[in-house]
Amino acid sequence: MAIRRGRGVAAINYPTGMNLGGDPTQALVHSTPTGNFMVTLSSVDLGQGMKQIMAQICAETIGVPTDRVVVDTADTDTGPHCMGTFASRGTHRAGNAVIQAAREARQVMLEVAAEELEVNASDLETDGQGNILVKGAPQKSISIFDVALSAHFKRGRSISGRGMFLIPRSYPEKETGAMKPSTCYAHACTVAEVEVDDETGEVTVLTVKNVFEIGRALNPKMVEQQLVGGSWMGISHALYETTEPYYPNRDHGGTDFNQYLMPGPGDLAETEIIVLERPSADGPYGAKGPGEMCANPQMPAVANAVFDAVGVRIDTLPITPERILRALKAQAN
Amino acid sequence: MAKVPVQFTLNGSEKAEFIDSGTTLLNALRDKIGDTSPKGGCHQGTCGACSVIIDGELRLSCLMLAETCNGATITTTSGLAVGGVLHPLQRAFLDTFATQCGFCTPGMIMAAKVLLDHTPNPSREDVVEALSGNICRCTGYEPIIRAVLAAARANPQNAA
Amino acid sequence: MELRKSYFADVRKDDLHEIGQPRPRSDSPGHVTGRTAYFADRNFPGMLHLKMVRSPHHHARIRSIDTSEAEKHPGVIKVLTAKDVPHNVYTILILIQVGPEDETVLADGKVRWKGEAVVAVLAETERAAQEAAAKVKVDYEVLPAVFDMEEALKPGAPIVNEYHGQNYYLYDSGACRKVRFGDVEAGFAQADHVLEQSYQSSPIEHAPTETTGCVVAPEGNDRFTCHTNTQAMFFTLDNTSIILQMPGSKLHFVGGTVGGGFGGKVDVIVEPIAILGAKLTGRPVCFIYSREEEMQISSPRAAEKVVIKDGVMKDGRIVARKVTGYTDAGAYSRHSPYGAQKGAGHYPGPYTVPNVWIDTYCVYTNRTPSSAMRGFGVTIGDFALEVQMDKLARLIGMDPLEFRFINAYRDGDMKAHRQPTEGAALIECMQEAARVANWPVAEKYMAMSSYKNGA
């Protein structure tokens, strides 16, 4: 009887969005009289940080600091349509809609600034700090604060824009299954290192090294949040979680957090996260959806590491001590 | 149903209410007093989202009857910031990106505060132990552990 | 976390100001001070509490329902049964024309899973609602149930859901969604080794710390404001409009600040019945799942069975892959027909295989309906595929990572569902993983690229 070590690898890809259902999201952007920007949506923030990311996307597109942008979302009386937050679609779909709306608003903003500065709008650029400058002659400038005041009280212009992003529905061809399930894919590769106690069947995940390719890390700290939490959930799925421990028997399902098992703060694997960025052709600033795929590669990587450690294949999730011991017993016979 | 009086100090102010006998402290705080910072994640004492501090000890407010708290001094996360200045734990949770959906955050901060009140310079193991009654489904816990350790480091008394 | 900017530097401009910056989250100050308002933090005077009477049986005919004792219970304001729901039989994906309508808001004549909602009780307090719910008498005739997907698909199995008529979802392609690419039998015939293996998962709970729920308040003008933690505002509004036969203009949904979802809050379950309660009583109503309901009543990730048969050459090339996937939908469709179909679009994984045959089935059994969860339609498939890859590599005596390099898809490669690969990055992920894990990989693989014509 011994503690045995093993390691395993898995590599995966993941589609962004819900192409097979048709996938629209809309956004509106407008300026307040003093040059702050409101993004209006009906998208839902589940905790992943949708509001913050939409603010950064709007700010980047208009050319202002993020703290000049406020996101008002998920009120059906005011927010235009969004399919919802699922299928890793939020950042990609809503982000594209926000970019389109923000571009239209930016164009009006530049036109008003051009009238104030008596130049062509095409000769203007933003400095990212809240000012509009004449290209090549930065001493000739106007603040966005003053441009918004002018638009509202002098020029009678609405600095606003409408955004729409739609992936049309792909209908699978009946006989061949020809279809377009996604326009972009995120990627991952995970190496997991485990210890297996061949007496108790208990698995300890020592380390997980995750490499994720997500198009563009729009806010690296928030990407890290998703990926660390996702990696934890993947390990949790691999070893612990089910509502029906004797599936397909329905009995003995957990009803609280004492019965439904997940790793606690004392059960964490040492987790390393590396991010690669290959911008997607149709993503907002190249982003893909990272939220779901980050929890997928740990399950097979852990299963493969268990095999590497003790030489038994557990092909049924979760990989419980009971399953490992039964497999070891069968192998010994 | 019989109404019973309850009176306690919440975040420094006196509170007095008549409540239905049998009301949990969690429901009394949220529905009668209007402090919604403790969250009801399970109402069965297994998630820690409702954690509050009563007379210096960490308590699950979903498992306590409000009428047993007469005369107590209760602290919740909504009462931690003084004069608009965040408590070092709140600051650390912000700075280290230790919140995602935020639902477990008030309970986590309560658990961490009791730890730091008793053990100003905790080890990682101390932090793990202190948070082990609180469920988080988003973060994978590591960012929260780091936030608590960062808050402890920020305490000038812990300067080496 | 580290960003490795050296990869794909030639196709990426890092010239942005706000994007790529670790700006603080705007919602975090609210979280750390306990000020963030979740749906359940809304409290309205006179709010009623809704509790469900649920089926204790996996499959049963309802002979009769007697609510008289419950209605007399102190504090009870209203008791709802199927006849109170204007359009009681519904399915959420009807909005994208994926029918048939197959699920009841409140059971009508039959229950098809243990835990199914039968009667809704609205009372002044949660306790009164709970006590009254226990006084509802339902007379059941227990029917044979089926839990195992293989059993469910056999002729003569009990029919789980009459709206389908058979225990699988009928696609336009038949009993399963199909993908056919190349000649899979020729591939097996050509292969040095053929390996067929079966993989299985069990249902998994999303377990968000905040349970599913909503708080509804009449606006006093025939409109209803529903504070909800749904993951999809208009999806929920439009389905509610259908179920309640109420114009969408009368519905106002407010949400977007949610205590975790992970796919568990995309079903439209609590809102329609709570709004109906508010409409029929004129009072605010809250309907919040207990933790037990969240664990056993809310849709889990589906259990899946995945059978993979591969033909592989000694040099490492996979020449044929046949996948048969079974998704356990439980008693009702919800999002499962979509998930099974998404699986068909995902196989054979991120590998270029010349001969592919995919069948994915959405199967009905007498269990809690499953639905979307993080990685919907793909997660369990990836587990099966990647364990299979490990087995194949060992079968031919090859390093598991090098084996994946040989088969990894690259830009321009035709996928089984007949889309050319674009934007591939699997190879680079594996190269970086080999580096950080000190996993020895031959230089020729470390020199490969996902680009078209890459080495």
Side-chain angles (χ1 to χ4, degrees):
Chain A
M1 295 297 166
I3 306 279
R4 299 187 186 280
R5 270 194 186 209
R7 70 174 181 171
V9 65
I12 57 116
N13 68 342
Y14 196 82
T16 295
M18 186 176 139
N19 288 21
L20 304 177
D23 212 5
T25 287
Q26 303 196 3
L28 298 172
V29 168
H30 77 267
S31 150
T32 68
T34 53
N36 294 308
F37 289 86
M38 300 295 300
V39 179
T40 317
L41 296 163
S42 70
S43 306
V44 172
D45 198 327
L46 300 173
Q48 81 280 33
M50 155 78 77
K51 293 168 198 162
Q52 174 64 26
I53 287 302
M54 292 307 127
Q56 286 185 233
I57 288 174
C58 178
E60 180 72 48
T61 309
I62 291 185
V64 294
T66 297
D67 60 14
R68 296 275 292 261
V69 179
V70 174
V71 175
D72 168 23
T73 194
D75 182 327
T76 58
D77 276 8
T78 55
H81 176 250
C82 172
M83 279 300 272
T85 302
F86 46 77
S88 297
R89 65 183 299 287
T91 293
H92 192 276
R93 282 17 176 183
N96 274 316
V98 167
I99 286 176
Q100 189 182 44
R103 276 190 187 140
E104 191 174 311
R106 177 186 162 94
Q107 183 55 35
V108 179
M109 177 181 82
L110 294 179
E111 285 167 15
V112 173
E115 288 178 44
E116 291 293 321
L117 293 171
E118 297 178 331
V119 295
N120 288 326
S122 58
D123 293 332
L124 296 174
E125 63 186 5
T126 45
D127 69 353
Q129 304 301 315
N131 301 297
I132 297 169
L133 325 171
V134 177
K135 287 178 197 166
Q139 69 283 6
K140 200 169 179 186
S141 74
I142 183 170
S143 71
I144 290 172
F145 183 98
D146 287 333
V147 172
L149 280 178
S150 165
H152 281 83
F153 295 104
K154 189 167 145 195
R155 308 271 174 195
R157 300 290 301 273
S158 169
I159 299 179
S160 59
R162 301 153 298 170
M164 168 75 193
F165 189 73
L166 169 67
I167 298 280
R169 183 170 181 173
S170 165
Y171 290 88
E173 204 279 323
K174 274 190 271 191
E175 297 307 321
T176 64
M179 60 178 126
K180 190 160 192 176
S182 186
T183 56
C184 66
Y185 290 79
H187 301 87
C189 182
T190 289
V191 176
E193 190 182 15
V194 305
E195 271 182 1
V196 183
D197 183 331
D198 66 6
E199 190 170 5
T200 65
E202 194 180 353
V203 178
T204 305
V205 181
L206 302 172
T207 67
V208 275
K209 297 178 191 303
N210 301 292
V211 181
F212 297 113
E213 187 281 309
I214 62 166
R216 172 88 72 176
L218 300 180
N219 178 323
K221 291 300 288 183
M222 292 172 64
V223 162
E224 181 178 18
Q225 291 188 307
Q226 282 282 295
L227 302 181
V228 171
S231 181
W232 169 86
M233 188 183 277
I235 293 169
S236 185
H237 275 25
L239 298 178
Y240 301 103
E241 294 188 41
T242 178
T243 54
E244 297 185 33
Y246 298 96
Y247 177 89
N249 186 311
R250 284 282 283 119
D251 299 336
H252 305 292
T255 57
D256 63 33
F257 287 115
N258 290 342
Q259 297 164 343
Y260 189 85
L261 300 183
M262 301 183 287
D267 310 315
L268 306 180
E270 193 185 315
T271 301
E272 192 168 341
I273 307 276
I274 308 277
V275 169
L276 314 185
E277 301 171 301
R278 182 177 188 185
S280 73
D282 69 347
Y285 298 101
K288 305 170 177 176
E292 299 184 270
M293 64 95 189
C294 58
N296 285 350
Q298 297 80 18
M299 282 165 250
V302 167
N304 293 336
V306 167
F307 175 79
D308 191 48
V310 289
V312 294
R313 288 288 179 190
I314 310 300
D315 294 336
T316 300
L317 289 173
I319 303 166
T320 58
E322 178 180 345
R323 291 200 167 108
I324 290 176
L325 289 180
R326 286 184 192 282
L328 285 170
K329 198 172 168 187
Q331 183 193 47
N333 295 337
Chain B
M1 195 173 287
K3 299 277 184 190
V4 293
V6 292
Q7 172 273 322
F8 47 69
T9 303
L10 176 67
N11 298 325
S13 12
E14 291 287 313
K15 301 289 175 191
E17 290 284 345
F18 282 96
I19 58 161
D20 291 337
S21 180
T23 301
T24 63
L25 177 62
L26 175 63
N27 286 345
L29 288 173
R30 290 176 55 82
D31 301 340
K32 296 292 281 189
I33 292 169
D35 182 352
T36 57
S37 67
K39 302 297 177 194
C42 72
H43 299 275
Q44 55 187 186
T46 67
C47 81
C50 68
S51 300
V52 299
I53 302 172
I54 301 180
D55 296 332
E57 298 295 328
L58 188 66
R59 293 280 183 250
L60 295 167
S61 64
C62 79
L63 294 185
M64 296 197 71
L65 298 184
E67 59 210 83
T68 67
C69 298
N70 272 310
T73 298
I74 302 175
T75 304
T76 66
T77 294
S78 68
L80 279 195
V82 180
V85 178
L86 295 180
H87 184 276
L89 274 164
Q90 294 173 313
R91 187 78 253 163
F93 271 63
L94 270 185
D95 291 345
T96 64
F97 286 77
T99 77
Q100 286 191 44
C101 84
F103 201 79
C104 76
T105 307
M108 289 285 183
I109 287 178
M110 288 288 97
K113 181 170 189 301
V114 171
L115 170 72
L116 296 190
D117 287 348
H118 291 116
T119 313
N121 200 2
S123 66
R124 181 185 167 95
E125 288 65 37
D126 293 333
V127 175
V128 163
E129 181 70 25
L131 300 180
S132 62
N134 293 64
I135 300 285
C136 172
R137 188 58 157 163
C138 301
T139 65
Y141 296 102
E142 188 63 43
I144 297 174
I145 296 169
R146 289 184 188 175
V148 177
L149 289 170
R153 279 198 304 274
N155 182 347
Q157 288 173 0
N158 290 340
Chain C
M1 186 190 88
E2 283 181 58
L3 280 164
R4 288 276 193 274
K5 294 277 188 184
S6 54
Y7 293 89
F8 306 113
D10 55 329
V11 292
R12 189 185 63 239
K13 280 208 283 190
D14 292 319
D15 58 349
L16 303 169
H17 296 98
E18 299 301 315
I19 294 300
Q21 297 302 320
R23 301 277 182 243
R25 288 180 66 139
S26 56
D27 55 356
S28 199
H31 295 346
V32 302
T33 54
R35 304 285 179 202
T36 300
Y38 301 86
F39 86 88
D41 296 334
R42 322 275 173 174
N43 198 352
F44 295 93
M47 189 158 74
L48 301 176
H49 297 257
L50 191 155
K51 288 285 173 189
M52 279 293 175
V53 177
R54 299 189 176 280
S55 163
H57 302 296
H58 301 294
H59 194 191
R61 200 174 313 287
I62 297 174
R63 290 202 194 97
S64 64
I65 299 175
D66 178 1
T67 60
S68 55
E69 289 301 310
E71 281 166 39
K72 281 184 241 162
H73 189 82
V76 169
I77 302 298
K78 190 86 188 168
V79 177
L80 304 174
T81 59
K83 65 179 185 334
D84 296 305
V85 184
H87 186 83
N88 193 40
V89 183
Y90 78 109
T91 194
I92 32 196
L93 287 180
I94 203 74
L95 294 177
I96 56 167
Q97 301 85 45
V98 178
E101 294 179 310
D102 71 344
E103 178 164 7
T104 49
V105 175
L106 294 174
D108 190 5
K110 248 190 115 175
V111 289
R112 299 177 181 85
W113 58 283
K114 185 179 172 179
E116 181 158 5
V118 183
V119 175
V121 179
L122 293 137
E124 299 279 0
T125 64
E126 192 180 353
R127 179 170 168 179
Q130 194 85 298
E131 288 168 348
K135 290 184 173 176
V136 172
K137 296 191 191 89
V138 184
D139 184 20
Y140 293 101
E141 175 194 345
V142 176
L143 300 172
V146 62
F147 304 106
D148 183 279
M149 286 193 282
E150 280 174 57
E151 294 297 321
L153 290 175
K154 283 180 185 165
I159 294 296
V160 173
N161 189 319
E162 299 78 7
Y163 295 102
H164 295 280
Q166 69 284 319
N167 289 336
Y168 55 84
Y169 184 79
L170 191 62
Y171 293 96
D172 60 0
S173 51
C176 58
R177 179 56 72 198
K178 302 172 192 169
V179 175
R180 303 287 183 264
F181 185 66
D183 183 342
V184 79
E185 291 305 327
F188 290 136
Q190 164 203 354
D192 292 325
H193 299 276
V194 174
L195 180 70
E196 183 174 27
Q197 296 279 290
S198 181
Y199 303 87
Q200 178 72 54
S201 71
S202 309
I204 294 173
E205 163 57 20
H206 311 79
T209 49
E210 177 203 50
T211 62
T212 302
C214 66
V215 171
V216 180
E219 288 184 4
N221 56 359
D222 266 355
R223 296 185 88 220
F224 295 86
T225 301
C226 178
H227 298 274
T228 167
N229 59 7
T230 179
Q231 293 183 218
M233 304 301 293
F234 279 99
F235 206 74
T236 305
L237 187 153
D238 291 335
N239 266 301
T240 301
S241 173
I242 292 170
I243 290 166
L244 300 184
Q245 297 286 292
M246 190 189 273
S249 59
K250 301 291 182 198
L251 298 169
H252 178 195
F253 278 59
V254 179
T257 300
V258 177
F262 312 105
K265 293 168 179 167
V266 293
D267 297 337
V268 182
I269 305 291
V270 292
E271 295 88 352
I273 195 72
I275 293 170
L276 181 64
K279 186 180 178 202
L280 295 180
T281 62
R283 304 262 299 260
V285 171
C286 74
F287 181 16
I288 305 176
Y289 271 6
S290 67
R291 180 54 59 184
E292 180 169 358
E293 286 177 305
E294 192 69 33
M295 289 278 183
Q296 290 290 330
I297 301 301
S298 78
S299 307
R301 181 196 294 286
E304 288 184 50
K305 180 181 178 182
V306 183
V307 181
I308 306 178
K309 183 179 179 183
D310 285 330
V312 64
M313 306 305 290
K314 285 178 196 157
D315 64 11
R317 287 174 297 129
I318 303 169
V319 291
R321 173 162 279 179
K322 183 174 185 177
V323 183
T324 313
Y326 303 90
T327 298
D328 190 338
Y332 297 110
S333 290
R334 298 197 183 168
H335 292 87
S336 290
Y338 187 88
Q341 169 168 287
K342 188 176 168 189
H346 184 66
Y347 296 118
Y351 304 106
T352 297
V353 181
N355 303 296
V356 176
W357 174 295
I358 312 292
D359 288 336
T360 58
Y361 295 83
C362 171
V363 184
Y364 299 102
T365 62
N366 293 107
R367 63 166 30 78
T368 308
S370 62
S371 199
M373 187 175 179
R374 192 179 207 170
F376 189 36
V378 168
T379 295
I380 305 303
D382 277 349
F383 166 74
L385 285 172
E386 286 301 294
V387 174
Q388 180 84 359
M389 291 298 284
D390 206 64
K391 291 178 182 175
L392 291 171
R394 290 172 190 267
L395 179 67
I396 58 172
M398 194 170 267
D399 175 83
L401 201 44
E402 293 188 345
F403 175 64
R404 286 173 171 85
F405 278 104
I406 291 171
N407 292 289
Y409 72 173
R410 301 194 235 181
D411 291 0
D413 288 358
M414 187 56 71
K415 299 185 190 182
H417 57 255
R418 291 174 169 74
Q419 288 294 322
T421 302
E422 295 169 23
L426 190 76
I427 285 170
E428 288 75 9
C429 283
M430 296 194 297
Q431 288 167 339
E432 183 58 24
R435 289 191 176 104
V436 297
N438 291 314
W439 189 299
V441 167
E443 194 45 47
K444 63 175 173 177
Y445 301 120
M446 295 305 280
M448 282 172 71
S449 159
S450 287
Y451 295 160
K452 199 169 187 173
N453 309 320

